[in-house]
């Protein structure tokens, strides 16, 4: 019996376990959340803090390998576990992705283009950075920012003071605003054996910093663009001796790609792979960390993924659309909260467009 320990009890942990049970795997979790967690139906959860050594011990007992489903796992906790168990992705990948300044510097060292960026710790440094980078620009907290939290768009001079007011006290980074044609992401899985598999580029639509919709494979993608994205992902996974699934979010400008951020875990822009790819990102993550052969990443037709945010749709209405697949995460509705997603998968473009048009009004836009 192989037991995977997952740090984090959210929907990504839930979908990892759902992908692993058919392979005969067992799961246990650690997450301090007091109420119910999306993983609770899928295995034992240690309701302890990641920084509590006793809770970590209890979690690790009986686990053969440890992974995580969110990137803000304390690095010290991952290192403590790595002293006695395989922990994948390697804790170094957590370090590289938890701090936007480190992350962008790492991309730059790998020769991967980024927006211009500068560290900002004081109001004087902010003014100097704006002088150098220019407006529009985006001011972000270096740590703990996700889903659009902890960032402010500076379009003009009058936006500077309120943004500083809201974010000061945190270590910050100022980035040049990228007038992108579209946002895409590349997902790659690398196994303990060094085998790498890449998914086709995904086209992503964000609003208020939250992913709303993905289309896969990203339409009108030249093979050269796919190859470019794969070469960037290859540099990252090789440099980190990475194991598991990695996502890199990119801005496309013409035929170039500019890296925004990476996630050392399964990713929301890969949820389409559950029905839409020969092997899902969740299964390939598990195969990678167990050193099993990776599965085909081939897409199965035209695929859309619609996030369910804030309000639940009517289940029967969604399921009445042929080729629509509903995933609910067992979370109570709350504004801006990811509650589930719907995947639509069709063989031909015409049916896909028709059914997507029918599906869209059923998924509330919060
Ligand atoms: P992030 O939390 O850094 O992924 O940012 C969330 C979203 O904000 C991105 O997916 C983009 O839509 C937008 N965004 C962030 N940084 C920039 C930037 N430098 N230029 C343009 N848009 C950005």
């Amino acid at each position: 019996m192989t037991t995977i320990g997952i740090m984090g009890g959210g929907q990504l942990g839930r979908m990892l376990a759902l992908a692993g049970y058919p392979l005969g795997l067992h799961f246990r979790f650690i997450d301090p959340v007091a109420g119910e967690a999306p993983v609770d139906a899928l295995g034992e959860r240690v309701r302890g803090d990641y920084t509590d050594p006793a809770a970590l011990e209890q979690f690790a007992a009986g686990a053969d390998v440890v992974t995580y489903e969110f990137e803000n796992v304390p690095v010290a906790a991952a290192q403590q576990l790595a002293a006695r168990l395989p922990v994948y992705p390697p804790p170094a990948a957590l370090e590289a992705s938890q701090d936007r300044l480190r992350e962008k510097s790492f991309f730059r060292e790998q020769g991967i283009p980024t927006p211009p960026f500068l560290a900002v710790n004081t109001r004087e440094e902010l003014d100097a950075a704006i002088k150098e980078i220019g407006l529009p620009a985006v001011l972000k907290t270096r740590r703990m920012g996700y889903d659009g939290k902890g960032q402010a768009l500076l379009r003009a001079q009058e936006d500077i003071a309120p943004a500083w007011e809201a974010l000061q006290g945190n270590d910050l980074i100022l980035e040049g605003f990228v007038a992108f044609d579209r946002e895409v992401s590349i997902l790659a899985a690398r196994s303990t054996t060094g085998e790498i598999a890449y998914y086709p580029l995904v086209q992503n639509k964000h609003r208020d910093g939250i992913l709303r919709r993905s289309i896969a494979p990203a339409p009108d993608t030249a093979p050269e663009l796919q190859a470019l994205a794969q070469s960037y992902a290859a540099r990252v996974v090789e440099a980190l001796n990475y194991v598991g699934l990695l996502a890199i979010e990119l801005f496309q400008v013409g035929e170039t790609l500019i890296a925004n951020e990476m996630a050392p875990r399964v990713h929301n822009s890969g949820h389409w792979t559950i029905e839409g790819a020969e092997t899902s990102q969740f299964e390939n993550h598990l195969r990678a960390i167990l050193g099993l052969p990776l599965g085909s990443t081939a897409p199965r037709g035209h695929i859309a993924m619609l996030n369910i945010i804030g309000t639940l749709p009517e289940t029967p209405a969604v399921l009445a659309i042929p080729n629509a697949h509903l995933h609910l995460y067992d979370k109570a509705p709350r504004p801006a909260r990811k509650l589930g997603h719907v995947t639509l998968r069709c063989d031909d473009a015409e049916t896909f467009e028709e059914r997507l048009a029918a599906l869209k009004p059923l998924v509330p836009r919060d």
Side-chain angles (χ1 to χ4, degrees):
M1 178 174 107
T2 301
T3 300
I4 315 266
I6 299 183
M7 303 179 81
Q11 62 264 20
L12 301 179
R14 177 182 173 95
M15 288 185 274
L16 279 167
L18 287 169
Y21 280 114
L23 294 172
L25 303 173
H26 292 241
F27 292 85
R28 52 194 288 106
F29 306 89
I30 180 168
D31 189 314
V33 72
E36 292 198 355
V39 297
D40 284 348
L42 290 149
E44 190 195 337
R45 171 165 65 100
V46 174
R47 210 172 282 225
D49 202 87
Y50 303 112
T51 53
D52 173 359
L56 280 179
E57 279 305 306
Q58 194 191 338
F59 161 68
D64 297 292
V65 49
V66 166
T67 188
Y68 39 87
E69 58 108 56
F70 72 112
E71 66 266 35
N72 287 317
V73 167
V75 174
Q79 281 165 341
Q80 182 190 329
L81 292 170
R84 53 177 286 200
L85 276 167
V87 176
Y88 299 126
L94 279 177
E95 280 186 301
S97 65
Q98 284 180 349
D99 176 343
R100 292 183 192 276
L101 182 67
R102 258 182 114 138
E103 183 178 52
K104 291 210 158 60
S105 306
F106 169 73
F107 285 141
R108 193 179 264 175
E109 284 157 22
Q110 302 307 318
I112 301 170
T114 66
F117 63 90
L118 285 167
V120 167
N121 294 309
T122 63
R123 180 59 211 256
E124 291 69 38
E125 284 176 3
L126 176 59
D127 291 336
I130 290 171
K131 222 169 174 182
E132 185 163 335
I133 290 173
L135 295 180
V138 189
L139 186 62
K140 299 181 181 178
T141 57
R142 281 171 52 179
R143 292 180 165 272
M144 298 305 266
Y146 63 95
D147 284 351
K149 295 183 181 83
Q151 54 180 278
L153 174 60
L154 311 180
R155 291 177 203 277
Q157 292 294 328
E158 61 262 29
D159 297 332
I160 300 171
W164 176 251
E165 201 53 44
L167 298 176
Q168 66 171 323
N170 299 290
D171 291 337
L172 301 172
I173 180 173
L174 185 79
E175 297 175 12
F177 180 82
V178 179
F180 52 78
D181 297 321
R182 63 175 176 177
E183 292 187 76
V184 293
S185 53
I186 182 81
L187 274 62
R190 183 171 180 272
S191 159
T192 55
T193 63
E195 182 189 2
I196 307 180
Y198 303 93
Y199 285 91
L201 275 169
V202 191
Q203 178 179 310
N204 302 315
K205 190 116 198 120
H206 293 83
R207 191 159 38 82
D208 302 328
I210 303 178
L211 179 66
R212 306 288 160 159
R213 286 171 186 179
S214 297
I215 303 281
D220 305 318
T221 299
E224 293 78 14
L225 195 77
Q226 177 74 29
L228 185 64
Q230 289 187 191
S231 74
Y232 292 163
R235 286 180 213 175
V236 170
V237 295
E238 299 289 0
L240 294 171
N241 198 16
Y242 193 87
V243 172
L245 192 116
L246 171 95
I248 308 179
E249 294 186 65
L250 302 149
F251 301 128
Q252 184 179 348
V253 182
E255 292 312 309
T256 66
L257 294 170
I258 297 169
N260 176 31
E261 62 180 356
M262 63 179 181
R265 55 170 168 79
V266 288
H267 194 252
N268 196 170
S269 71
H271 291 1
W272 65 273
T273 60
I274 296 176
E275 292 89 8
E278 189 66 36
T279 314
S280 79
Q281 62 163 348
F282 302 99
E283 183 174 335
N284 262 337
H285 179 75
L286 297 171
R287 291 188 188 209
I289 67 174
L290 294 171
L292 296 167
L294 298 178
S296 164
T297 54
R300 299 197 281 202
H302 302 261
I303 304 118
M305 189 286 307
L306 284 69
N307 264 346
I308 297 169
I309 296 167
T311 315
L312 290 168
E314 293 294 332
T315 292
V318 171
L319 297 185
I321 297 189
N323 312 77
H325 302 271
L326 180 62
H327 298 253
L328 298 177
Y329 306 151
D330 215 358
K331 286 161 84 174
R334 204 194 296 152
R337 195 175 201 205
K338 289 178 180 169
L339 304 175
H341 71 269
V342 184
T343 302
L344 181 76
R345 191 213 69 77
C346 300
D347 290 324
D348 67 284
E350 203 178 318
T351 314
F352 175 69
E353 291 303 335
E354 258 170 39
R355 293 192 175 156
L356 186 55
L359 179 63
K360 277 180 177 174
L362 304 178
V363 180
R365 290 170 66 92
D366 80 325

